[in-house]
Amino acid sequence: MKSNSVSLAVDAFATGRADALILIGRILLAWVFVGSAYGAISNFSGSVGYFRSLNLPAPELLTMTTIVLEVLISVGLILGVGTRYCAILTFVFVLAATAIAHRYWSIPRVRSRSVNTTTS
C-alpha cells in the first residue's frame, strides 16, 4: 500500500531526526514567550496599564512577575534545561494568564447585520 509506505517513510524521518525536531519545536514554542516578554519589556508602562485596567492589585509586580516567568520559560525551553518543569510552568502560566488577562468569554458579542443578497 502506498499509504503505508508514506507512513513508514515519515516515521523513519522523524525517528532519525528526533533531536533536531524536538529542538525546533521547543524554539517555536519559546518564541511565543520571547515575543510576549519583549513586548512587555519594551512597553512596560503599557503592560502595567493593562493590568491596572483589569483592577488587579500591584500591577507593577504582576508585570515584573510575568516578564520573569516568560523569560524563564523561554530560556528553559530553548536550552533544554528542565523541559518537563518548563512544560508544567508553561501550563500553569497559560492557564492563569487566560483566567486573569485573556477573558475572551466576557467580551460582549457583536451582532452582525444580515446582508440582503437578493437583487431587484
Side-chain angles (χ1 to χ4, degrees), residues 35-85:
S36 181
Y38 176 76
I41 291 168
S42 64
N43 186 12
F44 189 81
S45 62
S47 297
V48 170
Y50 180 66
F51 281 128
R52 190 170 283 128
S53 76
L54 297 172
N55 297 320
L56 296 173
E60 294 87 2
L61 179 62
L62 284 173
T63 302
M64 285 302 301
T65 303
T66 298
I67 292 169
V68 167
L69 287 173
E70 288 173 336
V71 168
L72 184 65
I73 288 168
S74 300
V75 169
L77 288 173
I78 291 170
L79 298 179
V81 177
T83 54
R84 290 177 191 232
Y85 298 114

Side-chain angles (χ1 to χ4, degrees), residues 9-24:
V10 170
D11 187 48
F13 175 83
T15 302
R17 292 165 182 84
D19 290 339
L21 292 172
I22 291 170
L23 174 61
I24 291 168

Side-chain angles (χ1 to χ4, degrees), residues 57-120:
E60 294 87 2
L61 179 62
L62 284 173
T63 302
M64 285 302 301
T65 303
T66 298
I67 292 169
V68 167
L69 287 173
E70 288 173 336
V71 168
L72 184 65
I73 288 168
S74 300
V75 169
L77 288 173
I78 291 170
L79 298 179
V81 177
T83 54
R84 290 177 191 232
Y85 298 114
C86 282
I88 294 169
L89 182 60
T90 301
F91 174 75
V92 171
F93 179 82
V94 169
L95 189 67
T98 301
I100 294 169
H102 302 291
R103 301 167 38 112
Y104 65 88
W105 55 88
S106 65
I107 298 173
R109 288 186 182 212
V110 176
R111 294 186 184 258
S112 61
R113 296 186 321 186
S114 61
V115 177
N116 188 355
T117 58
T118 60
T119 57
S120 318

